[in-house]
């Protein structure tokens, strides 16, 4: 069962990567995350003391689980399925795409017409097969594949802050968290929801 996730990333795909230690330090300072913990093949950050002030849960959210299970085996499966809220920092020098498998076709940034052939273009860019140029069939605009507009289910970035255990539109990042992130990169961040 895939995990529901809220991902935050700089809205501009040209933004340089934020090193993990720098991002972690800032997020620990505001209380979004606590100290690093290990899984079998990854590390994560449990929620910090101000998590619920920095991430706004909408409506009447049923029990929000914030504590990691103590039992190591249970922890692995609870993390894989997003049974509790915890955070991952996914950052690197390479521009990457992350999106929900059910993502609808993105739109041209100029004329807003949908691009039905986006998956083939994306796969070919990911495989490094050709220049990532893309041309709109409707208006003729030509740009990088990361110029396509994906709404709230996919995005391009070098740095993703992943909050696992949040369902689509169940919670949104609060202003203080967005300000901290914007100060790190000098530009605004956006959020997407997906299952992976
Ligand atoms: Zn167009």
């Amino acid at each position: 069962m895939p995990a529901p996730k809220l991902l935050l990333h700089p809205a501009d795909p040209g933004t340089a990567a934020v090193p993990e230690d720098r991002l972690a330090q800032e997020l620990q300072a505001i209380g979004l995350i606590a100290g690093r913990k290990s899984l079998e093949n990854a590390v994560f950050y449990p929620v910090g003391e101000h998590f619920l002030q920095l991430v706004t849960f909408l409506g009447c959210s049923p029990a929000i689980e914030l504590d990691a299970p103590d039992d190591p085996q249970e922890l692995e499966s609870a993390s894989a399925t997003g049974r509790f809220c915890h955070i991952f920092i996914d950052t690197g020098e390479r521009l990457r795409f992350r999106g929900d498998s059910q993502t609808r076709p993105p739109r041209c940034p100029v004329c807003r017409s949908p691009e039905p052939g986006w998956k083939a273009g994306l796969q070919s860019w990911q495989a490094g097969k050709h220049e990532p140029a893309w041309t709109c069939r409707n208006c003729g605009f030509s740009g990088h594949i990361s110029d396509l507009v994906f709404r709230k289910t996919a995005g391009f970035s070098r740095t993703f802050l992943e909050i696992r255990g949040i369902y689509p539109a169940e919670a949104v990042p609060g202003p203080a968290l967005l300000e901290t992130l914007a100060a790190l990169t000098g530009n605004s961040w956006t959020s997407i929801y997906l299952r992976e």
Side-chain angles (χ1 to χ4, degrees):
M1 195 170 66
K5 301 172 177 180
L6 163 62
L7 258 54
L8 295 163
H9 68 84
D12 178 0
T15 308
V18 185
E20 173 160 358
D21 52 355
R22 176 126 193 272
L23 188 50
Q25 202 177 9
E26 293 289 331
L27 297 177
Q28 278 162 350
I30 60 170
L32 182 81
I33 62 174
R36 241 163 108 102
K37 278 198 173 177
S38 291
L39 291 165
E40 259 172 40
N41 299 310
V43 293
F44 73 96
Y45 298 85
V47 300
E49 53 180 347
H50 295 134
F51 179 79
L52 289 175
Q53 282 88 63
L54 294 163
V55 175
T56 309
F57 282 78
L58 310 166
C60 51
S61 295
I64 305 157
E65 185 54 62
L66 300 179
D67 297 326
D70 290 327
D71 176 72
Q73 221 167 3
E74 206 188 319
L75 174 62
E76 290 295 324
S77 87
S79 175
T81 56
R83 218 155 65 222
F84 67 105
C85 290
H86 56 306
I87 292 104
F88 290 80
I89 294 174
D90 172 18
T91 190
E93 291 307 313
R94 205 164 46 83
L95 182 65
R96 282 163 302 123
F97 171 85
R98 286 182 72 178
D100 192 88
S101 61
Q102 304 297 315
T103 294
R104 305 258 296 273
R107 292 175 181 274
C108 167
V110 176
C111 73
R112 320 300 287 181
S113 105
E115 171 49 67
W118 69 280
K119 276 190 182 164
L122 178 70
Q123 280 162 5
S124 146
W125 170 69
Q126 286 171 327
K129 281 186 189 144
H130 66 61
E131 287 298 302
W134 158 84
T135 302
C136 176
R137 289 162 224 217
N138 184 48
C139 73
F141 170 79
S142 192
H144 190 277
I145 193 153
S146 62
D147 291 330
L148 288 168
V149 180
F150 277 95
R151 298 181 63 94
K152 289 277 185 188
T153 53
F156 289 86
S157 185
R158 292 176 175 80
T159 302
F160 293 96
L161 175 63
E162 171 182 325
I163 307 178
R164 204 176 283 192
I166 291 183
Y167 287 88
E170 183 186 31
V172 294
L177 174 55
L178 289 173
E179 276 164 30
T180 299
L181 294 170
L184 268 170
T185 54
N187 58 18
S188 63
W189 287 49
T190 189
S191 47
I192 59 181
Y193 298 88
L194 49 78
R195 285 171 185 268
E196 16 167 73

